[in-house]
Structures are given as C-alpha cells and as structure tokens.
Amino acid sequence: MKVTIRVDVTMDYGETESFEICQLERPYRELDPARIGLSLAEGKDVLHRLQRIVVAAQAEEVCLLRRFCDRCHRFLDLKDRRICKVDTVFGTVRFRSARVISCACVLPFHFEGPYGPMSEYVPERATPELLAL
Ligand SMILES: [Zn+2]
C-alpha cells in the first residue's frame, strides 16, 4: 500500500493550491506490527510539513491582502521579502514575509516607510501555544 498525504489550501480570495506533504509505503509483504499506521516520528514529520505549508500560505495571504491601502485602496509597493521564522508546537517554521511600503494617506504620520504585515501576527519568535507550554 502507498499512502499519499496532500493538502489543498484555498485563500480567502478564492485561489486554491495543492501541496503534497509526503508518501508513505506499507508493502503488504513487509508488513509487521511495528509498521501498522504511522510511527510517532512519521506523525511528527507530517505535522511539521503541514505546519510549514499553512504558515507559508498565511504569510503569503496576509502580505498580499495588506498591500491594499485600507483608506485609498491603492496597491502598495513592496520594499523586499525576508525569511522569517517562528517556533511552533510542531517545530520551527521558516516563511517568506514581505515588507510593504506604507501609504502616505494613512493618518497621523502621512509617511511612506516599510513595515512587515506578518509582524502583527508573529510578534514573538514563538506561537502563543508554544509559549504557554
Ligand atoms: Zn492610501
């Protein structure tokens, strides 16, 4: 038997992308009690891979949707992209995060400068769930 684990990610703006997480092989002829189901290591690996996909998709969605100015609806320029990381209950995950040039129409500063939209959601280097543990 071969088991393929895939995940479909559908963004709030309707775009769907599929990702293959992994393939597990359980040949009938090699089956033994230790190879029934997933091992603890395989389960942790699947969750870590899934976490990487979810966090990367969230960062992509946040960085794209935050590029529209709430006030004047202008599509804001991109300063650059950086690799960020966050420690989660399923391991450390790296993701690409954009820095957006803020819109000059936003009060009170009327200032165009770079900011990272994901820093609002990942203010610490670890998720609140991991910090609570
Ligand atoms: Zn604006």
Side-chain angles (χ1 to χ4, degrees):
M1 170 190 302
K2 285 185 182 175
V3 177
T4 301
I5 301 175
R6 290 192 183 94
V7 61
D8 290 340
V9 175
T10 302
M11 303 297 202
D12 283 358
Y13 44 87
E15 186 177 293
T16 299
E17 191 170 356
S18 295
F19 300 88
E20 183 176 308
I21 293 178
C22 69
Q23 288 188 340
L24 304 167
E25 295 193 13
R26 296 290 188 271
Y28 166 74
R29 301 262 180 229
E30 298 173 18
L31 195 59
D32 63 44
R35 293 185 50 97
I36 295 292
L38 301 179
S39 68
L40 180 60
E42 288 169 331
K44 285 181 176 180
D45 184 53
V46 167
L47 290 173
H48 183 247
R49 290 170 188 246
L50 177 61
Q51 189 78 306
R52 283 196 324 229
I53 291 168
V54 171
V55 172
Q58 288 176 309
E60 182 182 324
E61 183 175 66
V62 164
C63 292
L64 177 64
L65 296 179
R66 293 295 293 275
R67 285 185 69 185
F68 293 96
C69 176
D70 288 338
R71 195 151 184 236
C72 71
H73 308 291
R74 185 169 69 99
F75 192 63
L76 304 173
D77 291 332
L78 205 59
K79 166 81 173 165
D80 56 21
R81 291 184 186 273
R82 294 181 169 188
I83 302 297
C84 300
K85 74 173 187 174
V86 60
D87 297 330
T88 77
V89 292
F90 300 119
T92 299
V93 174
R94 295 182 191 283
F95 59 96
R96 279 178 17 127
S97 182
R99 286 197 307 162
V100 176
I101 304 294
S102 62
C103 190
C105 82
V106 175
L107 298 172
F109 303 112
H110 298 287
F111 170 72
E112 287 189 9
Y115 75 100
M118 275 302 283
S119 63
E120 183 180 325
Y121 303 99
V122 185
E124 310 269 346
R125 296 266 178 207
T127 60
E129 185 179 21
L130 182 64
L131 291 173
L133 291 173

